Amino acid sequence: MEKHCGMQMQSVVSSFIFTKIDDNLRVALFQRSKKVTTYQGHLAPISGTIEAGELPIQAAWRELQEETSLAHPDIKLWRQGQPFTFDDIAIRRRWTIYPFAFYLSPRRKRIFGWIGSMSDGTGTVQVQSAMGRIPRASPIYQRASGEFAASEALSSGIHQLKTDHLSGSHELTSIAIKNFRNVLIHLRDQDQWWDLAREAAWHLWKNGRESMGTATLNAFINIFADMESILPLSIKDQSSWDRLLAVVNYHLEHRRETPIRIKDAFIKYLQEMFLPSQKQNQEKVLHSTIRDSIIDAFSSLPLSTLDLRILESRPLFEGASMASAVLSSFQSKHPTSSGRYLSLNIYTDASAALAATNVDFVLLGADQISSSGWVSNKTGSLPAVLSAKAASPGVKILVLSGLDKVAGSEEDLPENLQEPEINESTEVTAPWVMSGVRGAKLLDEYIQGNSPKTAHCMVSIKNVTFEWVPAQLIDGYLCENGLYSEVEIQQRARDVKRGMSKYFGV
């Protein structure tokens, strides 16, 4: 344990457990043992020291397992609060607190006694009173649960982000900014509006869909950088307030240009890197997997045939929907008389190796790009890349992404967390039932665990949303400013890290 100005310094996690009882959200607290060194006998969340080399979220899961034996899927990370530091002079201790809120499945609710209710307007008082004389107990609870000024608008925004499994990270970021603007309106009369605005942004980034939240983080860093010029003015002045909202509106509008600039960068890359390498007496055929800008790129190049291979992308079959959109776009741009041809092939996910035979490019989107250049994208991306590398040795793996997908810290990425984003098993099993898959009913019975005979067996569906493609497999990152190398991505990450430290203290 380090010391600072005579104070012992200690970093800890504090985890609240919530559940629904009679449509009210309730919280469980635990009496601190007489064996612990501080605050014996008081009610508190599950707390524990972060061990050397351990991430806060890893410490939170470890403490939950040690104290309650609970694990996924019975309990899930619900929200996390912004860490903060305070001094307890009485025991000469400087605490750095990392607050978390976990949600327990209501079917396991009987294992605890529950107090408080966040939905009847009195729960916060009850919870804070129950925690007694533990210093800063109220802020810990508020930061973990997201309860503070304008919390209704914030909670609505978090819920919208958390439950949206159709939008990409670019769209989710626009949604986050719009909700941030709603929160901002509620903060106008608050003396601490700047601190509260940054805390609200932190929650929208961390507690919406963190797996797709890097673009949201970057957007807020840029917004706050522009807002700083307004800080010396009185926010209650109408002109200052109008300028503040104008900053948010500008960033919302500016985001519309990014996909166009990425498409232009892709076209330039093809013109400079791909076409010159083709033999002039050879029919020019572009073989590639698909991203949104591929039809526009094809239209801009002197190619006669476009060969697209699209994976169906289970369980929600986004690939099939994309294929339909591509077909419609091609038909509208190139009539039969145009001399342009589209060969559109839809492959099952299991056929990734077949789809990768004789392709020129694999184009990947990115929900996040780590500071070391790894790319997080929809599950199935890594098999497609590995298959292409084996089946087409000359293939180029290109990432089409905005620079706002670059993360500032490896520690904040889901690859380092113990709980990946796992969606509902029904997304996988519903097509089984509709197709009359033999044995689907028996599997579903064990997945739900609703029968006494299932006590000794458990079937689980691993519907993991994202996976990581290593940087060493990627040939280039096509962003709105052109082609980036792995080294340039790392430099961008350092810039993001500085913004994270400045505006969010992490």
Side-chain angles (χ1 to χ4, degrees), residues 342-363:
L342 170 66
S343 175
L344 182 59
N345 304 276
I346 303 173
Y347 288 79
T348 62
D349 292 351
S351 303
L354 295 176
T357 303
N358 295 325
V359 298
D360 298 304
F361 299 100
V362 173
L363 304 182

Side-chain angles (χ1 to χ4, degrees), residues 255-394:
R255 293 184 56 76
R256 299 180 182 180
E257 302 174 7
T258 302
I260 299 173
R261 295 174 63 189
I262 294 173
K263 178 196 69 177
D264 292 343
F266 178 48
I267 293 173
K268 182 178 179 181
Y269 176 88
L270 292 177
Q271 291 172 335
E272 296 179 354
M273 305 297 292
F274 174 67
L275 291 180
S277 67
Q278 304 299 301
K279 295 179 180 179
Q280 296 302 313
N281 60 352
Q282 175 182 337
E283 180 185 7
K284 294 176 179 179
V285 179
L286 177 62
H287 300 278
S288 176
T289 51
I290 181 64
R291 273 296 291 166
D292 296 340
S293 60
I294 190 67
I295 293 296
D296 286 339
F298 172 67
S299 301
S300 303
L301 299 172
L303 302 175
S304 61
T305 302
L306 176 61
D307 177 5
L308 293 181
R309 291 95 182 273
I310 303 177
L311 301 180
E312 62 178 347
S313 190
R314 295 191 179 191
L316 298 181
F317 305 102
E318 298 97 332
S321 298
M322 181 180 290
S324 176
V326 167
L327 180 60
S328 177
S329 176
F330 182 86
Q331 289 177 327
S332 66
K333 292 178 182 294
H334 301 291
T336 304
S337 59
S338 67
R340 296 290 190 99
Y341 301 94
L342 170 66
S343 175
L344 182 59
N345 304 276
I346 303 173
Y347 288 79
T348 62
D349 292 351
S351 303
L354 295 176
T357 303
N358 295 325
V359 298
D360 298 304
F361 299 100
V362 173
L363 304 182
L364 296 177
D367 290 294
Q368 297 192 72
I369 303 175
S370 79
S371 60
S372 57
W374 286 46
V375 172
S376 173
N377 200 43
K378 175 73 184 290
T379 298
S381 299
L382 182 57
V385 169
L386 293 174
S387 297
K389 288 285 188 180
S392 303

Side-chain angles (χ1 to χ4, degrees), residues 163-176:
T163 56
D164 187 334
H165 290 271
L166 296 178
S167 299
S169 55
H170 185 80
E171 294 81 4
L172 285 175
T173 296
S174 295
I175 292 171

Side-chain angles (χ1 to χ4, degrees), residues 179-193:
N179 279 284
F180 174 72
R181 183 173 56 187
N182 292 338
V183 173
L184 206 59
I185 291 173
H186 288 83
L187 296 179
R188 181 175 182 180
D189 296 327
Q190 298 288 329
D191 293 334
Q192 302 298 320
W193 75 269

Side-chain angles (χ1 to χ4, degrees), residues 182-246:
N182 292 338
V183 173
L184 206 59
I185 291 173
H186 288 83
L187 296 179
R188 181 175 182 180
D189 296 327
Q190 298 288 329
D191 293 334
Q192 302 298 320
W193 75 269
W194 176 244
D195 293 336
L196 292 173
R198 286 182 294 159
E199 186 170 346
W202 195 93
H203 275 286
L204 289 167
W205 158 40
K206 281 285 188 177
N207 295 314
R209 286 191 70 193
E210 187 184 2
S211 296
M212 304 177 75
T214 297
T216 299
L217 164 66
N218 276 269
F220 284 136
I221 289 174
N222 293 332
I223 288 173
F224 289 136
D226 288 346
M227 279 185 172
E228 280 190 309
S229 63
I230 304 174
L231 288 183
L233 305 177
S234 172
I235 199 60
K236 296 181 181 180
D237 176 73
Q238 185 62 44
S239 62
S240 300
W241 178 250
D242 290 341
R243 285 177 59 191
L244 191 71
L245 294 182

Side-chain angles (χ1 to χ4, degrees), residues 8-36:
Q8 290 183 322
M9 301 174 63
Q10 189 166 357
S11 295
V12 300
V13 292
S14 289
S15 300
F16 293 86
I17 299 178
F18 294 86
T19 198
K20 277 281 186 71
I21 300 178
D22 299 328
D23 292 327
N24 289 326
L25 194 59
R26 296 184 179 272
V27 62
L29 296 177
F30 305 84
Q31 190 170 42
R32 289 182 62 82
S33 168
K34 294 182 179 180
K35 297 180 181 180
V36 298

